Amino acid sequence: DADVTQTPRNRITKTGKRIMLECSQTKGHDRMYWYRQDPGLGLQLIYYSFDVKDINKGEISDGYSVSRQAQAKFSLSLESAIPNQTALYFCATSQGGTGMHTQYFGPGTRLTVL
Amino acid sequence: ELKVEQNPLFLSMQEGKNYTIYCNYSTTSDRLYWYRQDPGKSLESLFVLLSNGAVKQEGRLMASLDTKARLSTLHITAAVHDLSATYFCAVLMDSNYQLIWGAGTKLIIKP
C-alpha cells in the first residue's frame, strides 16, 4: 500500500466551484505539505503544516485554504476555483527533528478548472 | 532569499554518453536533495547530501555536494533510456525547513 495517498486522482470542475483535495499518510510523519506543479515547471509550495496545530502559508497560498484534521490527514481547498488553478497538485510528508527531512510525495491530483 | 538554479533545463543525449546536471544555490544550507519525476508521475527521492564533499551513488547516477561553492552535481554515466525523466534539486532552508526547488532538468536519452 502507498504511504502517501491523495484523492481524487483526477478532477474536472467549473469556475466558481469549491473543491477539496485530500491527503492521507501512513508514514507516521509529523510534517505535511501541499505543492502545485504547472506543466514543464517546478514545484510551488501552497501550505505546510509541522503538526496539527501549526499551519503556515507557502509562496502561493492566495485562493487556497487547508485543514489538518489529524496528524495523518491534510486537506487542501479551493474556495472558488478559477482556470489558472488548473495544475498537478502534490501532497508530501516529512519527519522533523534531527533526521534527513526528506519529503515523500503522494501520486498527485490532476485538477482541471473549466 | 534562497534561490536554486539548475542547468541545463533540457538535455537530449545518446545512450552510452556521460553528462552532468548542475545545481547552484544562493545561501548556505545543511541539506541538498535530488529527486526524479517521470512524466505525469510523482517525485521520487534519489539522494540526500548533508555535508561538504558528500558523494552518493546509485547505479549510473552519482551526486556530489560542494558547500563552499554552493554547488551540487548529478552525474550520469553511460546513460540508458530508462534514465529519461525530469530531475529536480532542492535545498533545505535552515530557518523554516522549507524546500526551495530548482526548475528541473528534463533529460531525454535516445537509443
Side-chain angles (χ1 to χ4, degrees):
Chain A
D1 289 339
D3 294 320
V4 185
T5 57
Q6 292 183 235
T7 56
R9 296 292 311 279
N10 289 282
R11 182 71 184 268
I12 299 173
T13 190
K14 294 182 178 180
T15 298
K17 295 291 187 181
R18 185 178 188 274
I19 298 297
M20 179 180 286
L21 309 183
E22 298 185 343
C23 177
S24 295
Q25 54 117 344
T26 59
K27 298 185 77 68
H29 289 169
D30 53 357
R31 301 179 176 189
M32 299 187 74
Y33 310 80
W34 276 104
Y35 288 96
R36 166 181 171 155
Q37 185 178 37
D38 292 287
L41 298 180
L43 296 175
Q44 294 177 284
L45 182 63
I46 307 172
Y47 272 94
Y48 62 103
S49 171
F50 283 359
D51 67 37
V52 174
K53 295 182 181 180
D54 178 30
I55 293 178
N56 304 280
K57 292 182 178 180
E59 57 189 305
I60 58 160
S61 59
D62 287 349
Y64 301 94
S65 63
V66 291
S67 174
R68 185 88 182 261
Q69 301 95 324
Q71 185 183 30
K73 296 184 182 294
F74 194 34
S75 59
L76 175 72
S77 294
L78 287 67
E79 298 302 325
S80 180
I82 56 176
N84 75 3
Q85 291 178 314
T86 294
L88 188 56
Y89 290 85
F90 288 106
C91 173
T93 74
S94 70
Q95 182 59 43
T98 58
M100 297 292 188
H101 293 267
T102 301
Q103 291 187 14
Y104 297 89
F105 285 78
T109 295
R110 187 170 298 280
L111 176 66
T112 302
V113 183
L114 302 176
Chain B
E1 180 186 354
L2 177 58
K3 293 184 179 180
V4 179
E5 293 184 352
Q6 283 183 241
N7 69 85
L9 298 182
F10 180 80
L11 177 59
S12 179
M13 57 193 292
Q14 296 293 129
E15 278 192 324
K17 300 291 187 182
N18 303 332
Y19 210 82
T20 301
I21 299 170
Y22 298 88
C23 176
N24 289 91
Y25 54 101
S26 58
T27 61
T28 58
S29 173
D30 287 340
R31 294 174 179 87
L32 187 138
Y33 306 80
W34 284 97
Y35 284 82
R36 168 181 172 149
Q37 185 181 33
D38 292 307
K41 302 294 186 182
S42 187
L43 285 86
E44 174 191 359
S45 174
L46 294 174
F47 302 108
V48 182
L49 302 169
L50 301 179
S51 60
N52 191 43
V55 176
K56 291 197 173 178
Q57 184 164 4
E58 179 74 31
R60 300 175 187 273
L61 299 178
M62 184 175 71
S64 65
L65 178 62
D66 181 344
T67 57
K68 293 180 181 178
R70 297 176 188 161
L71 171 68
S72 180
T73 60
L74 181 66
H75 186 74
I76 303 139
T77 301
V80 294
H81 178 68
D82 286 351
L83 291 179
S84 295
T86 298
Y87 293 86
F88 291 94
C89 67
V91 176
L92 189 72
M93 284 184 65
D94 296 343
S95 58
N96 60 12
Y97 294 96
Q98 286 185 46
L99 285 185
I100 307 301
W101 294 82
T105 297
K106 184 173 184 177
L107 176 64
I108 295 176
I109 299 169
K110 300 177 181 178

